[in-house]
Amino acid sequence: CGSLEEARKVFDELPNPDVVSCGAMISGYALHGHGYLALEIFQKMLHRGIEPDRVTFLSALKACGSIGALMQGRLIHDEIIQSGLESDVAVGNTLVDMYSKCGSLEEALKVFEKLPNRDVVSWAAMIAGYARCGKCRLAMQCFEEMKQQGLKPTDAIFNSVLAACSHAGLVDEGCHFFRSMIEDHGIIPDIGHYIHMVDLLGRAGHLNEAEDLLQTFQSDIIGWRSLLTACR
């Protein structure tokens, strides 16, 4: 219900908290952006000898990513290896996401390359990591490799690629991805896509094109939806 204070009161009164109660608190804190508190519970859990389960590891990793706690994330990764969960796709994806959010792309890539089955979430985490760290060419390369695997990019993946193009000032590439998103994949641009494109065009001095695109976003969202529906 979102009442973390009440949940914490109940949790602190438990005589013998177990993996379920600890996991619930860690998940609640991580979900609501309280990474430090989530990791505090995780540490207390380990000190009490309570072995984390898969769900608890996922929440703890998300907490690490949200606050950039790289050292803590590495320790949790070690615990995951010992528990035999490193090959789990969801755990692996969350490790990639955690390392990339903490700025350690080398460690993110190591985990990514070890994944037995890479799904669209795996690729999205890696592409977002490259984009976040300003590695535009690597983000685009990763994007193309994902498509070669037969996976369809999502709106979030296009958001990352457009952000990378914007930061690198790659106008032609950004316009290509924006058009491909609409024409090849039938994805309706949202405010994030438009913001990246307007930023890209504006930084490159294409102010008229940026203004036209901004006006398009403001007036033609319904038009895009109708057009794409008609093309299906």
Side-chain angles (χ1 to χ4, degrees), residues 145-159:
E145 289 176 4
M146 180 197 70
K147 289 205 302 178
Q148 290 172 9
Q149 297 297 315
L151 296 172
K152 185 176 180 180
T154 63
D155 58 340
I157 289 175
F158 274 109
N159 216 340

Side-chain angles (χ1 to χ4, degrees), residues 168-193:
L170 300 177
V171 176
D172 291 341
E173 290 85 346
C175 290
H176 164 74
F177 284 116
F178 189 72
R179 285 193 300 269
S180 176
M181 177 181 71
I182 299 167
E183 298 170 4
D184 300 332
H185 299 281
I187 296 174
I188 300 172
D190 62 21
I191 187 170
H193 302 120

Side-chain angles (χ1 to χ4, degrees), residues 35 48 52 84 94 108 113 219:
R48 287 172 174 165
T94 309
E113 291 179 337
S219 61

Side-chain angles (χ1 to χ4, degrees), residues 4-33:
L4 289 176
E5 290 185 6
E6 291 298 320
R8 184 60 185 265
K9 286 180 182 178
V10 173
F11 176 79
D12 287 340
E13 292 173 358
L14 292 175
N16 296 299
D18 57 12
V19 65
V20 176
S21 55
C22 290
M25 282 305 310
I26 293 167
S27 176
Y29 278 137
L31 184 65
H32 289 85

Side-chain angles (χ1 to χ4, degrees), residues 37-71:
L37 292 174
L39 294 179
E40 174 195 321
I41 298 292
F42 186 81
Q43 285 300 314
K44 289 182 177 179
M45 177 181 176
L46 294 181
H47 290 156
R48 287 172 174 165
I50 303 171
E51 186 174 341
D53 59 9
R54 175 178 177 274
V55 175
T56 305
F57 277 129
L58 290 172
S59 297
L61 289 173
K62 288 177 183 177
C64 291
S66 70
I67 60 174
L70 179 58
M71 293 302 297

